[in-house]
Amino acid sequence: MRAIAILAAIAMVAGLFLPWLVSAPEATPWEVVRRLDPEVETLRTLASDAPELLAFLATFALAALFLLLAVLGAPSRLLAFLAGGGAVGMVAYGVLKLRDQAGALGLPVPTAENMGDLLPRLPDYLGAGAMAWGGGAVVLLLTALIGFPSRR
């Protein structure tokens, strides 16, 4: 289980550098991080204006920290849960926000019945980075919930 969790964390961290949109291969979270001003005031502004962005970027940091500890032989279920659960939560939050905005604009809103029709079309729009991050997050969350066997 630990090896699976390590691979999931690698996928999440790799998503930081891979393209997230098929139509814009240069759109990566790493580009966002590179353009951020590392001053405290910038972080305060982001925390008040765009806390979702900080939570999104925190999932990469938590996955990287979990990966480091797991490779060193001390995997943390809490870190795995926070990294994977945070990413899964971010996706759920994004889907709900998009659904609300689509409804406000009078666009058709996906329901549980037609969601299965939308999933096969996601690779037409989402790049490898989004898929690696999302897939790694689900697997990392599941491994955190199941647990890691003791090495004693």
Side-chain angles (χ1 to χ4, degrees), residues 56-67:
F56 171 69
L57 295 175
T59 62
F60 293 105
L62 290 168
L65 184 58
F66 168 81
L67 179 61

Side-chain angles (χ1 to χ4, degrees), residues 7 20 25 42-43 79 86 98 121:
L7 290 174
W20 276 58
T42 304
L43 293 177
L79 279 176
L98 284 175
R121 295 193 309 207

Side-chain angles (χ1 to χ4, degrees), residues 4-14 63-64 66-67 136 140:
I4 293 172
I6 289 172
L7 290 174
I10 289 171
M12 281 187 72
V13 173
F66 168 81
L67 179 61
L140 193 57

Side-chain angles (χ1 to χ4, degrees), residues 12 14 16 21 34 49 86 90 96 114 128-129 135 141 143:
M12 281 187 72
L16 181 65
L21 299 172
R34 278 189 26 198
D49 295 346
M90 289 298 299
L96 291 174
N114 65 5
L141 177 61
T143 58

Side-chain angles (χ1 to χ4, degrees), residues 22-127:
V22 171
S23 60
E26 68 281 351
T28 66
W30 181 247
E31 288 301 315
V32 173
V33 171
R34 278 189 26 198
R35 291 194 169 110
L36 283 178
D37 187 14
E39 293 181 9
V40 174
E41 189 58 38
T42 304
L43 293 177
R44 283 188 186 141
T45 304
L46 279 176
S48 64
D49 295 346
E52 300 90 357
L53 177 62
L54 288 182
F56 171 69
L57 295 175
T59 62
F60 293 105
L62 290 168
L65 184 58
F66 168 81
L67 179 61
L68 178 67
L69 289 174
V71 167
L72 294 175
S76 168
R77 284 179 69 182
L78 177 63
L79 279 176
F81 181 78
L82 290 174
V88 169
M90 289 298 299
V91 169
Y93 176 77
V95 167
L96 291 174
K97 290 287 279 188
L98 284 175
R99 196 181 95 201
D100 292 345
Q101 289 177 354
L105 294 173
L107 298 173
V109 177
T111 62
E113 291 82 31
N114 65 5
M115 191 64 79
D117 298 335
L118 296 175
L119 292 178
R121 295 193 309 207
L122 281 180
D124 296 339
Y125 305 101
L126 297 180

